[in-house]
Amino acid sequence: MLTRLKVSGFKNLVDVDVRFGPFTCVAGANGAGKSNLFDAIRFLSALAANQTLIEAARAVRDEHGKNNDIRSLFHHAGGKYADRMSFEVEMLVPPNAVDDLGQQASAQDTLLNYRLDLCWRNGGSGGIVANPLEILHEELRPIRRADAKEHLRFNHDLKWRKSVVTGAPRARQGGPYISTKPASAEEPRIIKVYQDGGAEPKKDKTGRGRAREVLASALPRTIISSAQAAESPTSLCARREMQSWSLLQLEPAELRQPDDFSNPAHMTSTGLHMPATLHRLASQGDAEAVYCQVANRLSELIGNVKKICVRPDEKHETLTLCLAGADGTEHAARALSDGTLRFLALTVLELDSEASGLICLEEPENGIHPDRIQAILRLLQDIATDPDEPVGPGNPLRQVIINTHSPMVVADVPDDSLLLANNVETFGHGRRFGKVAFSAVGGTWRTKMPNEPVGIVSKGNILTYLNPLGLQNS
């Protein structure tokens, strides 16, 4: 769970500092920077997924969907580019993870701070370098369990916090899991990777096990992307958490596809394998109750749904998702509307306790009738973890961040969950430039932090900003 994100020098994100709760809605006009916030999250996720710095950078979209100009990721104005971008996150990570070799790992600390600074490496005299991105700083540190309340500022119950935060108390807190030793006149920049410690016979002054040293300038990818259970279980859990940060891009063509019996039974971010996933959920419990729950939820969107089920075809070894309306006529997924399929996919996701992590979703109102927007917002909030109940099989540690430019969505989102993204002009380094600024609704938890001033806006002003003419449709 991503609880705080600081970004500077990435696209139009300059000195951005945003806190997140279980459910967050980022509202703003087109071009304000809402999608750039998602791109920063996806970039960090790609870097943790063992992609090289270049591969992760190229995966970040530009206005055409892909980015072949890596330099454009750096903030720029008037033809002048920044040469550095920095990221800092606070996150809750899963207590257990499995590495690439199938080895189990358990985190010593589950509330962590991760920092990554990258720079643009020039070839000199117009030369070309194979890897123009270089790691200047990488660090992973625990946040003391005793300080958890100060870092988890959104409204939550103590029993929820105790169920997700583990680690040593204040007096026994260890040092970093990853740290960077700056370059000097005598020595190059070195990144140190520490063993978790515990029963290790030798520990350094940080309280961790023996450190492995890596030359920073030679790294093609981040250190955290190579974390394994044997060396640093906590770093591995952090890696798995960041890998789970995904942009949900539900594609109707893939949602309509039946599954082979041999297909994975976990739905992808595009909606592929929805029938196999629902079939697994039905097989794990009371199938009739599961299908009934899905049908009841879908009825909130399209009216009376008599039945939802997955039909196995033993001859062709396929699974097909089917829906029956009030008249009993059954329709396969290929005959359903785009909006119905997307809502159905979100319903399956909400039921799947094995699906965890951060879900980003752009403009969830697309393809949904205005009268049904409340239904999809309720579903999205139900997907996110309930901070008033302990995390467990019935309340997985899931988080949802959406963005929108629709005043209809904003009107139905709780004030505590709302952020406004606005493009502002500022002055620095001898020039004027535009950047995105985030504001929260007055009186909510984000505006009650004395040491972190945040822009304050009323919900009425957000609605007016998004819909200045007072039109009924967004």
Side-chain angles (χ1 to χ4, degrees):
M1 180 177 179
L2 175 63
T3 59
R4 188 177 187 180
L5 174 63
K6 296 182 180 181
V7 188
S8 196
F10 180 86
K11 294 193 173 184
N12 74 336
L13 306 181
V14 179
D15 299 326
V16 164
D17 184 358
V18 184
R19 289 186 180 269
F20 300 99
F23 174 77
T24 304
C25 174
V26 182
N30 289 330
K34 307 185 302 296
S35 294
N36 290 344
L37 187 69
F38 281 4
D39 286 340
I41 293 171
R42 294 177 69 205
F43 183 50
L44 288 169
S45 180
L47 289 173
N50 208 25
Q51 294 188 28
T52 66
L53 302 175
I54 298 302
E55 289 169 343
R58 285 179 176 158
V60 176
R61 59 191 171 175
D62 59 12
E63 62 271 17
H64 304 295
K66 286 289 185 181
N67 193 353
N68 293 317
D69 180 12
I70 297 173
R71 192 73 169 103
S72 67
L73 293 183
F74 289 80
H75 180 261
H76 52 279
K80 185 174 180 61
Y81 286 79
D83 58 6
R84 179 169 176 162
M85 63 173 71
S86 63
F87 306 86
E88 184 177 348
V89 303
E90 292 180 7
M91 57 184 166
L92 281 165
V93 306
N96 302 296
V98 179
D99 70 12
D100 299 337
L101 300 176
Q103 303 301 302
Q104 299 281 340
S106 296
Q108 284 192 345
D109 300 277
T110 56
L111 184 56
L112 301 168
N113 176 284
Y114 177 71
R115 177 183 161 193
L116 179 68
D117 296 348
L118 302 175
C119 75
W120 179 261
R121 181 160 47 188
N122 289 311
S125 302
I128 299 175
V129 292
N131 185 3
L133 296 179
E134 181 178 345
I135 297 176
L136 293 178
H137 190 97
E138 187 173 7
E139 184 177 299
L140 181 68
R141 289 183 172 274
I143 296 173
R144 294 182 178 94
R145 190 176 66 195
D147 297 334
K149 184 178 180 181
E150 292 302 310
H151 289 267
L152 303 175
R153 302 302 293 267
F154 54 88
N155 298 325
H156 65 274
D157 192 273
L158 176 61
K159 56 189 176 184
W160 180 88
R161 188 168 76 244
K162 286 185 174 181
S163 71
V164 295
V165 179
T166 61
R170 185 187 303 270
R172 295 191 290 108
Q173 192 67 37
Y177 294 98
I178 301 171
S179 70
T180 299
K181 181 181 178 181
S184 65
E186 297 79 22
E187 296 182 341
R189 185 182 308 108
I190 297 294
I191 298 181
K192 294 185 176 183
V193 187
Y194 298 87
Q195 296 176 353
D196 276 20
E200 289 294 324
K202 292 184 179 180
K203 301 178 184 178
D204 65 9
K205 61 184 180 180
T206 68
R208 301 286 178 218
R210 186 179 291 113
R212 172 169 59 93
E213 296 188 350
V214 183
L215 182 65
S217 61
L219 284 170
R221 52 177 53 85
T222 59
I223 285 292
I224 203 168
S225 70
S226 62
Q228 299 294 334
E231 181 177 49
S232 180
T234 302
S235 296
L236 173 65
C237 290
R239 174 190 174 192
R240 293 296 185 231
E241 167 60 25
M242 295 173 70
Q243 282 181 271
S244 77
W245 300 348
S246 64
L247 178 64
L248 202 60
Q249 295 177 301
L250 298 173
E251 298 292 342
E254 298 197 353
L255 290 167
R256 291 188 171 94
Q257 293 296 317
D259 272 313
D260 293 337
F261 283 0
S262 59
N263 283 153
H266 291 85
M267 192 168 60
T268 69
S269 61
T270 60
L272 198 61
H273 307 315
M274 179 169 65
T277 303
L278 183 53
H279 186 258
R280 169 176 59 83
L281 295 175
S283 302
Q284 290 173 343
D286 184 336
E288 185 176 348
V290 170
Y291 289 141
C292 183
Q293 191 170 350
V294 175
N296 289 341
R297 178 71 89 164
L298 190 58
S299 293
E300 298 179 18
L301 179 74
I302 62 174
N304 192 15
V305 176
K306 186 175 181 179
K307 188 176 182 181
I308 291 280
C309 66
V310 175
R311 296 287 187 203
D313 182 336
E314 299 291 343
K315 180 180 178 180
H316 299 96
E317 297 187 340
T318 59
L319 299 167
T320 301
L321 192 149
C322 298
L323 178 152
D327 61 359
T329 303
E330 196 168 279
H331 304 277
R334 63 178 177 271
L336 302 180
S337 71
D338 293 359
T340 297
L341 286 167
R342 291 193 182 102
F343 195 92
L344 187 54
L346 292 172
T347 301
V348 172
L349 182 63
E350 192 264 333
L351 284 178
D352 189 2
S353 63
E354 295 181 16
S356 59
L358 165 59
I359 299 164
C360 297
L361 182 62
E362 293 195 300
E363 300 177 1
E365 67 275 11
N366 285 347
I368 302 296
H369 191 277
D371 289 344
R372 306 299 185 184
I373 286 178
Q374 285 185 342
I376 198 166
L377 288 176
R378 282 195 301 270
L379 176 54
L380 288 168
Q381 290 172 75
D382 287 344
I383 290 173
T385 186
D386 182 353
D388 291 325
E389 297 294 335
V391 165
N395 186 32
L397 186 58
R398 279 193 304 236
Q399 182 180 22
V400 176
I401 304 175
I402 65 172
N403 69 27
T404 185
H405 61 266
S406 168
M408 293 184 179
V409 171
V410 170
D412 287 324
V413 169
D415 290 0
D416 270 359
S417 301
L418 194 57
L419 282 171
L420 173 66
N422 194 14
N423 211 327
V424 299
E425 190 175 81
T426 188
F427 186 85
H429 305 289
R431 67 184 190 279
R432 290 189 175 278
F433 60 89
K435 68 173 187 176
V436 62
F438 293 90
S439 303
V441 177
T444 57
W445 60 272
R446 290 184 179 88
T447 64
K448 296 178 181 178
M449 297 179 288
N451 298 324
E452 297 175 25
V454 63
I456 298 177
V457 65
S458 72
K459 196 167 190 176
N461 285 340
I462 297 177
L463 293 171
T464 301
Y465 167 70
L466 295 177
N467 197 4
L469 300 179
L471 302 177
Q472 293 301 311
N473 296 317
S474 59

